[in-house]
Amino acid sequence: MASMRDIKRRKQSVESTQQITKAMKLVATVKLQRAKQRAEQSKYFFDAIYSTVSSILRRSGTINHRYLNAPTTDKKAVIMLTGNRGLAGGYNSNVIKLITKNEKFTTDNTVVYAAGKKGKDSLQRLGYTIGGDYSDAIDEPTYPDAMKISREVLTAFENGEIGEIYLAYTFFKNTVTHEQRLIKLLPVEIEVPDLPEGTTETTIGDSDSEDMTPMNFEPEDVEALDMIIPKYMTSLIHGALIEAVASENGARMQAMDNATTNATELIDKLSLLYNRARQGAITQELTEIIAGADAIS
């Protein structure tokens, strides 16, 4: 059994850690309330622009446009949203697994545009090419941040450096539930398998529920899509950034709450061990005193 001094020192260490985890939980809770409100407010715009652009593309017929054409290279770009800090449970690692566990993404054909140091550092160690680092954007995401990411990735797409663009992030459902998502941004697909939360085929329109009259563009279709699709892509990235921040703070709050609970349990066990060791020391001292008194007499 460990000595009383060792047990006491370990208990003090755990108590100090518990104070830190409590403080981090409170900070994450405050940040979560603000991020949650932004996520809930932006979700309506996110769903609306998604359904609107999907409806436009459904009724556009066959258009020869660089954002709709088949890719000319097998290079893939992944915009990955993780956190700059750890202590958030499996939040960062779950997003990273969307790429590392997917057979279509290899170190040879994948370029990562990372918003978040944890994801960037992990994939860089694994040998993935980092096309851009936007870690500052993940702390307080703004629309210009999303526009910058979108512009740089689109430039690489238009130059033929990459043929497909994906977005990997964590979708915020509620305080305790977060879902890792990987969606394809370009080339734009009319039928997207991964629909936003609360969106169904009926809500974004189909042949039975939506007027399928061919879409007329003003100005020309190419000019219109040149404006619509980049804004559509920027809006998706912006929405994902907001969702990711809310998810990260929710995950950190849960992780710190679990850590605080575990620390409490460990303190109770150490207190029990300390009392046992103390009782054993007292018993031993009494035994030695009695034995000494018997020897004198």
Side-chain angles (χ1 to χ4, degrees):
M1 181 181 293
S3 65
M4 292 173 56
R5 178 180 297 178
D6 292 337
I7 296 174
K8 186 175 182 180
R9 186 179 300 155
R10 177 75 188 282
K11 181 181 176 182
Q12 291 174 342
S13 175
V14 174
E15 288 174 343
S16 298
T17 302
Q18 185 186 48
Q19 292 178 351
I20 295 174
T21 58
K22 281 183 178 180
M24 292 187 66
K25 177 189 173 183
L26 292 175
V27 172
T29 302
V30 174
K31 289 184 176 180
L32 173 62
Q33 296 304 319
R34 185 172 52 189
K36 179 181 178 181
Q37 186 176 8
R38 287 192 66 189
E40 291 174 347
Q41 291 175 347
S42 66
K43 191 173 300 182
Y44 297 104
F45 175 76
F46 177 86
D47 292 344
I49 194 169
Y50 184 94
S51 60
T52 301
V53 174
S54 298
S55 176
I56 290 173
L57 295 177
R58 272 190 173 83
R59 296 187 289 171
S60 296
T62 303
I63 298 178
N64 184 19
H65 192 275
R66 64 183 184 278
Y67 293 147
L68 307 178
N69 295 337
T72 57
T73 176
D74 63 348
K75 283 281 187 180
K76 298 174 177 59
V78 181
I79 303 170
M80 182 180 62
L81 310 183
T82 59
N84 288 329
R85 295 174 293 276
L87 299 177
Y91 170 77
N92 294 310
S93 60
N94 289 336
V95 179
I96 294 171
K97 288 177 183 178
L98 289 176
I99 301 172
T100 58
K101 300 299 183 181
N102 195 320
E103 295 181 354
K104 70 170 65 173
F105 302 120
T106 66
T107 55
D108 296 327
N109 73 350
T110 304
V111 180
V112 178
Y113 293 82
K117 294 180 181 179
K118 287 298 181 179
K120 179 186 75 70
D121 293 343
S122 296
L123 291 187
Q124 196 169 34
R125 285 194 298 268
L126 293 175
Y128 287 87
T129 302
I130 305 300
D133 181 9
Y134 312 96
S135 298
D136 293 339
I138 203 64
D139 291 327
E140 292 290 339
T142 61
Y143 192 82
D145 292 330
M147 188 180 298
K148 179 181 178 181
I149 299 173
S150 175
R151 187 184 300 117
E152 295 186 12
V153 177
L154 280 176
T155 300
F157 184 85
E158 293 173 6
N159 293 338
E161 299 173 10
I162 53 178
E164 296 178 358
I165 301 175
Y166 293 84
L167 176 63
Y169 71 105
T170 305
F171 178 77
F172 181 82
K173 285 189 173 182
N174 52 55
T175 303
V176 297
T177 306
H178 318 115
E179 176 186 335
Q180 289 70 44
R181 288 189 173 182
L182 178 68
I183 62 176
K184 186 176 182 181
L185 299 181
L186 285 181
V188 174
E189 295 179 343
I190 295 177
E191 299 293 341
V192 181
D194 295 324
L195 301 176
E197 179 70 12
T199 305
T200 64
E201 287 292 337
T202 302
T203 59
I204 64 175
D206 53 39
S207 58
D208 296 328
S209 62
E210 182 182 22
D211 180 10
M212 296 304 291
T213 305
M215 177 68 65
N216 292 324
F217 290 93
E218 180 64 36
E220 296 298 324
D221 51 9
V222 174
E223 296 179 33
L225 291 177
D226 281 342
M227 294 184 294
I228 292 174
I229 294 181
K231 291 183 180 297
Y232 162 75
M233 181 171 166
T234 301
S235 298
L236 291 180
I237 296 174
H238 182 236
L241 283 168
I242 295 175
E243 298 280 353
V245 171
S247 299
E248 180 184 1
N249 284 296
R252 181 168 291 111
M253 185 189 73
Q254 285 183 275
M256 293 301 98
D257 182 57
N258 292 335
T260 301
T261 301
N262 293 337
T264 301
E265 295 177 356
L266 183 55
I267 290 172
D268 291 341
K269 291 180 180 178
L270 290 173
S271 297
L272 182 60
L273 288 176
Y274 180 82
N275 291 334
R276 286 178 178 175
R278 181 170 175 272
Q279 185 64 44
I282 292 174
T283 302
Q284 183 177 356
E285 289 180 3
L286 290 175
T287 302
E288 291 175 353
I289 292 173
I290 293 172
D294 291 341
I296 293 175
S297 62

